[in-house]
Amino acid sequence: MKSTKLVAVASVAVLGAGLLSSCGAAENGSSSSGGGDKKSIAFIQGVAGDQFYITMQCGIQDEAKKLGATVKVQGPEKFDPTLQKPIVDSVVASKPDAILVAPTDVSAMQAPLKAAADAGIKVVLVDTTVNDPSFAVSQIASDNEGGGKAAFDAIKSQVPNGGKVLVVSVDPGISTTDARVAGFKQAVAGDSKFKYLGVQYSHNEPATAAKIVTAALQKDPDIVGVFATNLFSAEGSATGIRQAGKQGQVKVVSFDAGPDQVKALEDGTIQALVAQQPGVIGQDGVQQAMNALNGKSTEKQIQTGFTIITKDNMNGDAKDAIYKSSC
Amino acid sequence: MSTTTPSPQTEAPTPSTQQGVTGLTDSSTPLYQRVIRMQAFQILLVLIVIIAVFATLAPHNFANLSNARQIVQNASILAILGVGMTFVIITSGIDLSIGSVMVFSGVIAAKLMIALGGDGWGTAFLGIGASVLTGLAWGMLNGFLIAKAKIPPLIVTLGTLGMALGLAQILTHGVDIRTVPQVMQDEIGYGNVFGQVPVLSIIALVVIALGMVLLHGTRFGRYTYAVGSNEESARRVGVRVDAHLIKIYALSGLLAGLAGVLSLAQFGTTAIAGQTQTNLNVIAAVVIGGTSLFGGVGTIFGTVVGLFIPAVLQNGFVIVGIQPFWQQVAVGAVLIAAVYVDQVRRASAARGRPTRSLFRSRSRTTPEEGSSEGDAA
Amino acid sequence: MTDTKPVLEARGLTRRFGSVTALDGADFDVRPGEVVALIGDNGAGKSTLVKALSGNLEVDSGQVIFKDVVRVIDSPTTASALGIETVYQDLALAPHLDPVQNMFLGRETMRPGLAGHLGFMDNRSMRKEARSAFDKLGATVRSLDAPVGSMSGGQRQAIAIARAVHWANEVVFLDEPTAALGVRQTANVLETIRRVASHGVAVVFISHSMPHVMEVSDRVQVLRMGKRVATYRTEDTTMEELVAAMTGATGQVAA
């Protein structure tokens, strides 16, 4: 009797899973058994649910539609290679024609992605990269060092007289944010009016970023600018400055332009945003993947640009640069 | 008196109404083990059904050897942790610190191997040894605080979770170490034997086999069940409960240390920000596998099956193309179902009482005795 | 039989818990092969005395003499080593283990040679030994393979007693063994007690039930306010006399 019960429970669970699977697949509007020569593309995000990757996903889906390819999207719950690797392995097992992937670690994702390429799948690295990306048909990312310089320019235009500036980054070892920090640091070094206080790491936790910024303001109450290299760091930094009651004195310039940051921009806690062009990265990624699949030549490396968003232009010409929460 | 029997589920699974031990023969299948086996068997059935569903939905991509190989490889490190966790949970304890201990041990191993230099086996083995010993040390600390200082395991291991992670970040300044001897990555992390079988999985298999022998075959295992079943009784019959608990947590720590260095070999990075969910994933697998959080019950086999349920679900969902978030929903549902089944099973096995309170259980069951036709000759 | 020397004797045991004096110079003795009933009102010190004699409680002063030698029984293990076993009121069984595993818990028979040193147990011989121990007592155990938690109270009681008797070659303490049992099970336990004593083991039987005491014991020792106030030969006394001694209406030292 007991065993019947368990089997019943299990069957319900599994039936549910099966049901979900059919719904889920339908939701993505991409039945894999579709048109015979339709190319299938898998997009593996760095972390699921992040607006940057969602915007990129929108660009990918639009472009894929245009070029006649299907797209499936997967991503780990956290920006964590130990969670992303099983997903990559599973995606490889599903044998898509091409994979667009944002690797979560330069070392850890090297072998799994190399294996994907060895299995005949065209791999395009988007946003982040790995130690030896020679297996990839293309790498597409923002010119992150240039982004760091742009961030410094944004701070400079807010605080022309100079002062101390702090950087709040995510984790060391992420190629994109490291490059942003390097670009920023270089730009500060080129201007004697500014003093670089170094970089702190938020581990992608807004709460940690808030703690870092409040603590830094305790130590150096005269900080004039904070450069937060990504979304969560910026949200946390803004919270920290609010907690310390230093709104107005400390200018926050952040990378990326999610709805929350735009809100912060509206509220005046963040003064400028350096927006990447994730949609463009996605479009380019699909184009490069399709080129590779169709035997055309590919560009090994593409760097995309930035848009600086401030309160003044956010509803004007910079409006389209804001990231999306859904396509 | 049998008419006064209060609950309908008093009959044990065997219809043995025979009187006296002498009425039973050695050939009768051990009942207790049979129940346990049945539980594990049921979990296995669930897994088989899940596999069948995905195999139907994605016959070419899911049901093939290389995909199976990937699933097994990705579950290997968790399986090593699962062996330790099974012992811990059978004693009705918990070890939340394993993920952090993994990271910390990996960091120590990486630092040592950098200091030693060299890319060969010598360096690699010293690194492995250092990681295992570091894990062991954390485990002994956990065990000591739990057994001697009498601090609840949840709190102790929550504390060491934070300590190990914080110290790992202090040692590395938060910067992942990515210098790992090449042999380690090539031969252990991504190495294969017989062409197709990952070395990591072989190591996991050895750990699982040793764990099974230890738990189900030896006195150590017997004491593990006894401590989880009724700690006070075990103490009174002379089982050195404190020492045993220290050994259990030391084992869990040691295996976390081993897992840490294997993770280092597989990923080529200390992944300091990673492993945040590892403890909960492993605990979920152990519980799905039929090990009771109340202690006294559990098998390594069940844990292994319990690990494959989330692993197969995730893999299958990705291949079928379902939103990644659904995997968490599904695993959560399986977890709750597993615990529900455990409750039902324990309720009927222990006649409606959680097994902890033997005395109350006894008084409740008193009226049923007539039904078993006399207790002594 | 009653003329032989005591196998276990306590002299002037005293134990205080804060301001409460649980034992106040209590004496006690039991001889091989006899059943001694230990009676007294609630709080008279019966359980404390048993705990002290079975290594579960330290005393502040007093002597324990085992076979003419003064001993310090400071742990259940020490008591076990002397051949003294106790059946606790809660039975101290591990509910998830089977009767054989419970009987040998903490005293497993190991396999000979290297396997034993590696921690492997000789399950076959333990099972055999347990079976014969249960048979010897005529104890009914539904199954040697089912967890004892799934068994009835009477069966668990039988297992706990069989375990104690199996290991005790000198003294067995039974703390309220019939308190939670029905009529038939009680009769079985009392019969078991006589059977154990007939094997030459001293049985100390704590009970509130005067009829049971009268039925099974050879001698009765009465505790009141932490002291032994009376000792009777069961055949020479009555329930009224025992109750009077318990409540303090009379007091004598005899037998």
Side-chain angles (χ1 to χ4, degrees):
Chain A
M1 191 182 84
K2 274 168 282 155
S3 63
T4 339
K5 210 168 205 169
L6 174 58
V7 171
V9 169
S11 317
V12 169
V14 172
L15 280 181
L19 216 67
L20 286 178
S21 67
S22 34
C23 294
E27 232 169 65
N28 278 351
S30 53
S31 90
S32 48
S33 57
D37 58 346
K38 246 189 167 185
K39 298 296 184 189
S40 62
I41 295 175
F43 172 40
I44 303 167
Q45 302 163 323
V47 57
D50 184 289
Q51 282 113 3
F52 177 82
Y53 290 115
I54 292 171
T55 311
M56 192 183 291
Q57 177 186 343
C58 299
I60 290 169
Q61 283 172 343
D62 290 348
E63 190 67 14
K65 206 176 217 172
K66 218 184 289 170
L67 299 180
T70 61
V71 179
K72 283 182 185 176
V73 183
Q74 294 289 340
E77 296 155 38
K78 288 205 160 200
F79 198 87
D80 178 349
T82 63
L83 299 178
Q84 195 184 36
K85 179 184 180 287
I87 292 177
V88 169
D89 290 343
S90 303
V91 166
V92 172
S94 75
K95 301 194 184 86
D97 295 308
I99 292 177
L100 272 61
V101 57
T104 46
D105 188 281
V106 290
S107 298
M109 298 317 294
Q110 174 79 40
L113 291 174
K114 175 84 168 32
D118 290 346
I121 298 169
K122 306 295 179 194
V123 178
V124 178
L125 303 178
V126 289
D127 184 39
T128 43
T129 187
V130 293
N131 282 332
D132 174 15
S134 55
F135 60 82
V137 296
S138 181
Q139 299 179 68
I140 302 151
S142 305
D143 169 18
N144 283 295
E145 277 199 38
K149 283 193 193 85
F152 177 67
D153 291 340
I155 286 187
K156 207 159 113 177
S157 69
Q158 299 281 336
V159 206
N161 294 332
K164 292 177 181 168
V165 288
L166 175 74
V167 177
V168 180
S169 191
V170 191
D171 274 306
I174 303 169
S175 55
T176 51
T177 50
D178 284 355
R180 291 171 203 167
V181 174
F184 185 82
K185 188 179 173 186
Q186 210 177 7
V188 179
D191 191 324
S192 57
K193 282 191 282 185
F194 286 87
K195 186 169 179 254
Y196 180 63
L197 291 180
V199 55
Q200 299 264 18
Y201 296 100
S202 72
H203 310 303
N204 221 22
E205 295 279 358
T208 311
K211 279 179 223 155
I212 289 169
V213 170
T214 22
L217 280 167
Q218 285 292 324
K219 185 164 172 274
D220 295 296
D222 53 344
I223 293 175
V224 296
V226 174
F227 169 40
T229 60
N230 83 335
L231 195 72
F232 287 153
S233 303
E235 285 173 8
S237 298
T239 309
I241 290 165
R242 209 176 303 146
Q243 278 168 3
K246 301 267 187 183
Q247 299 105 304
Q249 177 204 312
V250 186
K251 307 295 180 189
V252 181
V253 172
S254 175
F255 232 78
D256 296 321
D260 293 330
Q261 282 162 306
V262 171
K263 179 86 182 2
L265 195 63
E266 271 174 353
D267 297 345
T269 25
I270 290 181
Q271 281 66 45
L273 298 173
V274 179
Q276 304 183 70
Q277 299 171 330
V280 175
I281 295 175
Q283 279 170 20
D284 288 355
V286 174
Q287 283 169 9
Q288 293 304 315
M290 292 303 281
N291 283 350
L293 289 170
N294 295 328
K296 294 184 201 158
S297 67
T298 57
E299 282 184 66
K300 270 292 186 187
Q301 200 154 18
I302 299 174
Q303 293 202 318
T304 54
F306 302 91
T307 313
I308 293 189
I309 310 175
T310 60
K311 214 171 180 174
D312 301 329
N313 71 358
M314 61 184 287
N315 293 317
D317 41 331
K319 198 176 173 206
D320 289 340
I322 294 168
Y323 300 170
K324 299 167 185 155
S325 302
S326 64
C327 296
Chain B
M1 254 181 109
S2 51
T3 50
T4 62
T5 301
S7 65
Q9 76 248 54
T10 52
E11 272 313 309
T14 28
S16 156
T17 50
Q18 247 139 339
Q19 247 186 305
V21 178
T22 41
L24 290 164
T25 61
D26 270 320
S27 63
S28 75
T29 324
L31 173 66
Y32 165 62
Q33 285 169 28
R34 210 163 69 185
V35 173
I36 290 294
R37 250 186 245 145
M38 230 162 68
Q39 169 91 355
F41 177 68
Q42 290 166 11
I43 303 156
L44 189 62
L45 273 187
V46 173
L47 178 62
I48 290 170
V49 172
I50 292 172
I51 291 173
V53 168
F54 284 126
T56 316
L57 290 172
H60 301 298
N61 295 335
F62 178 79
N64 65 55
L65 203 65
S66 80
N67 191 43
R69 187 178 164 278
Q70 291 295 352
I71 295 175
V72 169
Q73 191 202 21
N74 283 321
S76 296
I77 288 179
L78 291 178
I80 290 170
L81 296 167
V83 169
M85 190 66 82
T86 306
F87 278 88
V88 168
I89 294 184
I90 287 174
T91 67
S92 77
I94 200 95
D95 188 350
L96 297 177
S97 69
I98 49 171
S100 295
V101 170
M102 269 180 84
V103 169
F104 184 89
S105 306
V107 166
I108 294 293
K111 288 233 158 208
L112 179 77
M113 289 188 291
I114 289 172
L116 288 169
D119 241 4
W121 278 114
T123 309
F125 275 124
L126 285 170
I128 292 168
S131 187
V132 169
L133 288 178
T134 307
L136 179 70
W138 278 107
M140 286 172 72
L141 176 66
N142 279 336
F144 183 81
L145 291 172
I146 289 161
K148 296 291 182 188
K150 308 285 176 206
I151 307 169
L154 187 81
I155 301 302
V156 168
T157 57
L158 188 62
T160 48
L161 175 153
M163 287 164 66
L165 188 60
L167 287 172
Q169 285 167 334
I170 289 168
L171 284 172
T172 57
H173 308 288
V175 185
D176 273 318
I177 301 171
R178 293 193 172 78
T179 314
V180 179
Q182 204 58 44
V183 289
M184 219 162 137
Q185 274 193 277
D186 295 346
E187 302 298 325
I188 299 176
Y190 286 96
N192 291 300
V193 288
F194 313 125
Q196 274 289 306
V197 189
V199 170
L200 281 179
S201 305
I202 296 290
I203 294 172
L205 211 60
V206 170
V207 171
I208 289 166
L210 290 176
M212 282 179 169
V213 170
L214 187 63
L215 182 62
H216 304 300
T218 69
R219 183 165 61 181
F220 185 86
R222 175 79 45 92
Y223 286 180
T224 304
Y225 285 109
V227 168
S229 183
N230 189 336
E231 191 177 319
E232 190 50 37
S233 298
R235 212 183 290 274
R236 284 206 229 144
V237 296
V239 175
R240 292 170 62 216
V241 172
D242 292 355
H244 195 75
L245 283 174
I246 294 174
K247 284 182 205 160
I248 294 280
Y249 285 92
L251 174 69
S252 179
L254 178 142
L255 291 176
L258 177 62
V261 76
L262 295 180
S263 170
L264 191 64
Q266 190 181 16
F267 292 104
T269 169
T270 46
I272 296 167
Q275 310 295 2
T276 49
Q277 321 246 27
T278 306
N279 51 5
L280 297 182
N281 289 340
V282 171
I283 290 166
V286 171
V287 172
I288 288 172
T291 297
S292 171
L293 285 169
F294 297 91
V297 174
T299 58
I300 302 273
F301 176 72
T303 297
V304 174
V305 177
L307 266 172
F308 276 107
I309 288 178
V312 170
L313 277 177
Q314 184 187 37
N315 175 268
F317 277 18
V318 170
I319 287 177
V320 176
I322 303 173
Q323 280 268 310
F325 302 115
W326 283 110
Q327 189 237 339
Q328 301 173 65
V329 176
V331 172
V334 172
L335 178 67
I336 291 171
V339 173
Y340 170 73
V341 169
D342 177 47
Q343 295 281 11
V344 172
R345 189 175 51 82
R346 282 188 312 122
S348 52
R351 301 193 170 180
R353 288 297 316 154
T355 49
R356 272 308 159 91
S357 176
L358 192 57
F359 176 66
R360 281 178 63 194
S361 172
R362 185 178 58 177
S363 32
R364 257 183 74 143
T365 53
T366 305
E368 297 159 20
E369 295 200 348
S371 63
S372 54
E373 290 300 317
D375 293 291
Chain C
M1 198 191 282
T2 50
D3 297 331
T4 49
K5 274 203 211 163
V7 56
L8 183 67
E9 193 180 351
R11 286 184 195 154
L13 294 188
T14 300
R15 171 70 204 231
R16 291 186 186 82
F17 297 101
S19 60
V20 180
T21 304
L23 291 179
D24 185 12
D27 299 327
F28 178 79
D29 68 285
V30 61
R31 296 164 191 161
E34 76 167 346
V35 179
V36 168
L38 188 58
I39 66 169
D41 211 349
N42 285 333
K46 304 183 297 283
S47 289
T48 313
L49 179 61
V50 171
K51 278 183 188 160
L53 292 174
S54 60
N56 281 298
L57 187 74
E58 275 183 66
V59 291
D60 299 328
S61 63
Q63 279 184 326
V64 176
I65 296 143
F66 179 79
K67 290 191 164 177
D68 293 333
V69 182
V70 176
R71 296 274 189 174
V72 178
I73 302 178
D74 54 0
S75 77
T77 320
T78 315
S80 294
L82 296 175
I84 302 171
E85 294 290 330
T86 308
V87 178
Y88 301 91
Q89 240 172 312
D90 65 5
L91 303 183
L93 295 171
H96 297 91
L97 301 187
D98 68 32
V100 181
Q101 292 168 342
N102 264 294
M103 174 167 271
F104 285 86
L105 189 58
R107 287 180 276 220
E108 287 77 6
T109 310
M110 305 309 284
R111 280 201 213 150
L114 179 66
H117 286 288
L118 288 174
F120 291 95
M121 298 168 293
D122 190 344
N123 288 313
R124 188 173 287 270
S125 92
M126 284 194 278
R127 191 185 163 91
K128 214 171 134 194
E129 208 177 320
R131 177 188 294 267
S132 77
F134 290 130
D135 285 347
K136 195 169 140 196
L137 283 182
T140 305
V141 178
R142 196 185 67 218
S143 161
L144 286 185
D145 306 308
V148 300
S150 71
M151 297 181 182
S152 70
Q155 289 182 349
R156 283 200 296 256
Q157 189 89 49
I159 293 162
I161 294 175
R163 173 172 69 180
V165 170
H166 182 71
W167 297 108
N169 28 43
E170 303 293 350
V171 185
V172 178
F173 288 98
L174 297 165
D175 192 355
E176 299 272 10
T178 57
L181 297 185
V183 176
R184 192 204 298 254
Q185 289 73 39
T186 301
N188 291 336
V189 168
L190 296 181
E191 198 186 319
T192 304
I193 289 172
R194 290 288 356 155
R195 215 187 271 238
V196 172
S198 72
H199 292 230
V201 175
V203 180
V204 182
F205 170 66
I206 298 177
S207 184
H208 274 112
S209 166
M210 289 307 128
H212 297 165
V213 167
M214 297 302 291
E215 186 184 336
V216 80
S217 65
D218 298 310
R219 287 193 300 150
V220 183
Q221 307 196 19
V222 184
L223 277 185
R224 194 160 67 82
M225 297 172 78
K227 280 192 188 74
R228 179 170 69 182
V229 293
T231 302
Y232 301 99
R233 294 174 65 95
T234 309
E235 58 194 45
D236 299 339
T237 187
T238 62
M239 275 197 236
E240 290 71 28
E241 196 176 14
L242 292 178
V243 171
M246 274 168 66
T247 54
T250 62
Q252 58 76 262
V253 178

